[in-house]
Amino acid sequence: MDNAAMQLLYAVENILCMRGILQVEFTEKKGRLAAAGISFAGMLVFQSMVGFGENMVPVFLGSRLLLALMIFSGGVGVNILKFLFCIFYMSVLTDPVETLLFIGERHFAFYWREPVGLILYDLAFIGILAAMAWLISKHDIWKDRIRSIPVHYYAIGLALSFCADVIAYFVKTAEPGMPLPMKDFVDILCTLLVEAIYLVWVFLVVLDNHRRRYQRESQLKSRYLEMARAHYQSLEAHVAEVRRIRHDMRYHLAVIGNYLKQGKTKEASDYLEEEGIRLDSLTALPFDTGNQLASAVVAYEKGRMAPDMSLYCEGKLPKDMKVQDYDLCCIFSNLLSNAREACERLTEKEKAVVLRLKQTEGRMALLVENPIEWEIDTKNLISHTTKENNSEHGYGLLNVKEAVEAYQGEFDISAEDGMFRVRIII
């Protein structure tokens, strides 16, 4: 009975680690969930009544792995890797506690590894995992960053945990002949070394996250310079056109005056209307968002669009908007780039990107929408940050969300009625 209870607690720990900490989603197939629960409960009942003898450890390890594969969505290989990572890397929390308990056992003559003690110990550990999962659930950016961890880092974590376990094993085999104070010292020293090895993985993940972020920032800044250069070139051409029109203005006024002297008011009116239309087409900027940087980004993305693709821009940004240039460029370039790339995949619907801007009490309200011909899982979309994912919309959305949340803004994604929409208020 005690063994079955321990195996149940181990399974709960695995589920908390994978779902609450590694952010692996549960499957939506209720049949799989029911089958997993029934099969695992049956094994617990069999263990409590008959038992598996010496095969208990491999049987339950395999059953916990099968349970994880059945209740979680995603690739089998990736989930196996994450399951093994959970089993070994949870030692980063348990090793320090166990070291203290072993030292206390030597000095105070209590044996904590009795069934009741182990159950209480695992219940406390489950409480810690639940608290960590709850804390992560309160921060969307944390969840998105965890989901975006490259898979190969879990393999690196397994390798590091193997090194840590080997060190701990050899230290334990060398302890029996040591004096009691030396055992305590070696245990503490070994625990510190093992924890340092475990934390190497955390350091590598954080370092890689910063590397990828700075790389994306560098690329975005390079694109910003290219956008600004193209935009200012278009402004120079616009100014040159205005100067040419001013140079010809005397001629146009002379023609209109001549019509009026001859009493040909209709001809004068027609000429004025015709020239007015032509002047509007020549002097109007292609995109005027009310912000030169945003206009440069919009014009740049329009320039990258195929001839069969349209970009509609409505509204203007507030002039007193307190958004840094880099963040504004990040938001506009990522959203418009994603929308453009999604339109390139369309085969039936009109390839059109719509950008709507609105001023709300000095804040920027932005909507970018484009047609889609496929299903999009908006729950996990932000964690898809490479071009190899099923949806092109994933690239850069994490950066956009971080930029919006830096200003305590609102960020919303939806995919309904064949349209993909991103709404932002800053």
Side-chain angles (χ1 to χ4, degrees):
M1 185 65 181
D2 293 333
N3 287 331
M6 292 299 301
Q7 294 300 330
L8 177 60
L9 294 178
Y10 292 155
V12 172
E13 291 171 4
N14 294 146
I15 293 172
L16 276 174
C17 185
M18 289 195 69
R19 179 66 190 95
I21 298 177
L22 300 190
Q23 293 298 304
V24 183
E25 292 288 340
F26 286 122
T27 182
E28 295 182 355
K29 298 179 179 179
K30 296 181 180 180
R32 280 175 54 179
L33 293 173
I38 292 172
S39 60
F40 192 76
M43 296 195 71
L44 293 178
V45 172
F46 186 85
Q47 168 64 27
S48 62
M49 296 180 63
V50 179
F52 294 99
E54 296 179 355
N55 299 318
M56 184 185 68
V57 174
V59 167
F60 271 106
L61 183 61
S63 67
R64 281 156 50 197
L65 173 59
L66 182 61
L67 177 68
L69 294 178
M70 293 181 70
I71 68 174
F72 291 109
S73 61
V76 174
V78 174
N79 282 349
I80 290 176
L81 185 59
K82 290 183 177 181
F83 171 81
L84 295 176
F85 177 87
C86 288
I87 288 179
F88 289 100
Y89 235 79
M90 283 191 290
S91 298
V92 71
L93 299 175
T94 59
D95 281 356
V97 178
E98 288 183 0
T99 298
L100 294 176
L101 289 174
F102 280 127
I103 292 175
E105 184 179 284
R106 295 184 192 128
H107 291 275
F108 300 103
F110 73 91
Y111 193 69
W112 65 277
R113 283 168 285 181
E114 295 288 346
V116 175
L118 287 173
I119 290 175
L120 292 176
Y121 169 80
D122 277 279
L123 285 174
F125 184 50
I126 287 174
I128 294 173
L129 291 176
M132 292 177 62
W134 175 82
L135 184 62
I136 292 173
S137 69
K138 296 297 180 181
H139 299 81
D140 289 340
I141 292 296
W142 292 9
K143 294 190 291 185
D144 296 330
R145 285 177 177 171
I146 290 172
R147 292 190 188 113
S148 67
I149 295 175
V151 175
H152 66 268
Y153 274 97
Y154 292 107
I156 294 174
L158 279 179
L160 289 173
S161 64
F162 176 77
C163 294
D165 287 345
V166 169
I167 292 173
Y169 172 77
F170 280 108
V171 168
K172 294 298 181 183
T173 57
E175 278 187 350
M178 295 180 183
L180 191 59
M182 180 61 71
K183 288 183 180 180
D184 295 342
F185 175 77
V186 170
D187 276 351
I188 294 174
L189 188 63
C190 177
T191 300
L192 292 175
L193 177 60
V194 167
E195 290 295 299
I197 293 174
Y198 284 129
L199 293 177
V200 166
W201 181 82
V202 178
F203 173 76
L204 290 175
V205 171
V206 173
L207 187 66
D208 180 73
N209 178 69
H210 284 293
R211 178 191 63 80
R212 287 184 290 155
R213 182 173 181 177
Y214 291 142
Q215 185 180 35
R216 291 193 295 267
E217 288 181 357
S218 177
Q219 293 172 350
L220 188 59
K221 289 175 181 177
S222 299
R223 288 176 61 190
Y224 165 59
L225 292 175
E226 184 180 351
M227 295 173 192
R229 182 165 51 250
H231 183 62
Y232 288 122
Q233 287 175 351
S234 67
L235 289 179
E236 288 180 358
H238 177 74
V239 171
E241 186 64 31
V242 171
R243 288 175 178 172
R244 188 185 67 79
I245 292 171
R246 288 179 59 186
H247 179 269
D248 296 339
M249 188 60 67
R250 291 182 180 180
Y251 167 76
H252 296 303
L253 291 175
V255 172
I256 294 172
N258 186 47
Y259 277 135
L260 292 176
K261 286 179 181 179
Q262 298 178 18
K264 298 179 179 179
T265 56
K266 184 178 185 307
E267 286 80 355
S269 176
D270 292 342
Y271 185 87
L272 186 61
E273 182 179 356
E274 180 181 345
E275 285 302 310
I277 294 173
R278 191 174 70 87
L279 289 175
D280 288 341
S281 64
L282 291 174
T283 58
L285 290 172
F287 298 102
D288 184 11
T289 65
N291 180 283
Q292 287 194 1
L293 173 60
S295 298
V297 176
V298 176
Y300 175 81
E301 288 299 331
K302 172 58 179 175
R304 299 182 67 189
M305 290 183 174
D308 62 341
M309 197 178 302
S310 303
L311 173 60
Y312 303 99
C313 181
E314 303 174 4
K316 290 188 178 182
L317 297 173
K319 293 182 179 180
D320 57 347
M321 184 175 55
K322 299 179 181 179
V323 180
Q324 298 295 323
D325 286 349
Y326 173 79
D327 294 324
L328 197 63
C329 181
C330 173
I331 293 170
F332 274 80
S333 61
N334 276 305
L335 294 185
L336 292 176
S337 177
N338 287 341
R340 172 179 55 77
E341 291 167 1
C343 282
E344 291 172 354
R345 298 173 54 194
L346 296 175
T347 58
E348 299 178 1
K349 294 184 177 180
E350 179 186 0
K351 299 180 179 180
V353 178
V354 177
L355 169 64
R356 291 190 173 91
L357 305 172
K358 187 178 180 181
Q359 302 180 35
T360 306
E361 298 179 354
R363 304 179 74 189
M364 173 185 77
L366 176 149
L367 169 66
V368 177
E369 60 181 7
N370 60 269
I372 51 175
E373 298 174 350
W374 51 87
E375 295 293 328
I376 292 181
D377 181 9
T378 57
K379 293 181 180 179
N380 298 320
L381 186 60
I382 293 179
S383 61
H384 300 289
T385 57
T386 68
K387 297 296 183 182
E388 298 176 356
N389 289 294
N390 294 330
S391 173
E392 301 294 342
H393 277 291
Y395 182 73
L397 282 180
L398 179 57
N399 285 346
V400 174
K401 187 173 183 179
E402 288 180 346
V404 172
E405 292 193 352
Y407 296 91
Q408 288 78 48
E410 301 175 16
F411 179 86
D412 178 68
I413 297 175
S414 64
E416 299 174 344
D417 302 325
M419 295 294 294
F420 182 86
R421 298 179 179 88
V422 180
R423 296 178 177 88
I424 289 174
I425 297 179
I426 296 182

